[in-house]
């Protein structure tokens, strides 16, 4: 029985170890390299760790990008009738998703257009003034 490296051994487990071996009932997983005895995992340790670090770095970068985006998107309370909001306004739903005001009405983020946003709209984001980038 071989013990393969796994970044997250407590998860349901991958079907394939990072070394390429398919995991079966006769395999164990560990995130502790001192417990890993798979020769392929040990041979590819530097590559496996570099890949893991690159994936983690990409996740952190994506989280930073999302945080920057959320900072730029200034939400405000609904303060007027829906018909008075300019085209490009987003109306945010309480449980996620949004409507976008278009010339034809309020388009839900998954595609359908309605005369007004739903009753669960809790805030709006006005479009940026012309010439101002987001």
């Amino acid at each position: 029985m071989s013990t393969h490296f796994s970044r997250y051994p407590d998860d349901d487990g991958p079907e394939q170890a990072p070394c390429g071996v398919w995991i079966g009932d006769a395999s164990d997983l560990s995130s502790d390299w001192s417990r890993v005895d798979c020769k392929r995992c040990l041979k590819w340790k530097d590559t496996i760790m570099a890949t893991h670090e690159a994936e983690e770095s990409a996740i952190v970068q994506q989280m930073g990008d999302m945080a920057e985006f959320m900072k730029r998107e200034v939400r405000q309370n609904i303060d007027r009738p829906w018909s008075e909001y300019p085209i490009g306004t987003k109306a945010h739903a309480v449980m996620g998703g949004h409507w976008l005001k278009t010339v034809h009405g309020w388009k839900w983020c998954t595609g359908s257009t309605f005369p007004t946003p739903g009753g669960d709209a809790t805030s709006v984001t006005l479009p940026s003034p012309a010439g101002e980038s987001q």
Side-chain angles (χ1 to χ4, degrees):
M1 175 157 94
S2 292
T3 300
H4 298 275
F5 178 77
S6 176
R7 294 180 299 247
Y8 312 108
D10 295 332
D11 287 350
D12 288 335
E15 293 181 9
Q16 193 172 17
C19 66
V21 173
W22 290 97
I23 304 295
D25 293 335
S27 299
D28 278 334
L29 299 172
S30 178
S31 61
D32 180 357
W33 280 104
S34 67
R35 296 188 60 220
V36 174
D37 61 7
C38 167
K39 291 183 187 335
R40 291 180 80 181
C41 284
L42 293 170
K43 178 181 176 182
W44 292 100
K45 179 179 178 179
D46 291 341
T47 303
I48 291 169
M49 291 308 295
T51 301
H52 172 64
E53 289 169 12
E55 289 172 357
E56 292 291 320
S57 179
I59 291 168
V60 169
Q61 178 64 44
Q62 183 180 16
M63 290 171 65
D65 292 346
M66 180 66 80
E68 284 299 315
F69 172 77
M70 295 304 284
K71 284 182 197 173
R72 288 184 297 199
E73 189 172 77
V74 179
R75 294 182 183 197
Q76 65 183 48
N77 291 331
I78 300 164
D79 61 358
R80 59 189 104 158
W82 293 117
S83 60
E84 294 180 15
Y85 282 101
I87 291 174
T89 300
K90 278 186 186 177
H92 303 278
V94 69
M95 295 299 287
H98 63 272
W99 294 267
L100 181 66
K101 186 163 185 188
T102 68
V103 294
H104 302 290
W106 291 85
K107 182 177 175 150
W108 179 243
C109 59
T110 58
S112 298
T113 302
F114 300 90
T116 62
D120 64 340
T122 58
S123 61
V124 294
T125 301
L126 298 177
S128 298
E132 188 177 306
S133 66
Q134 280 216 21

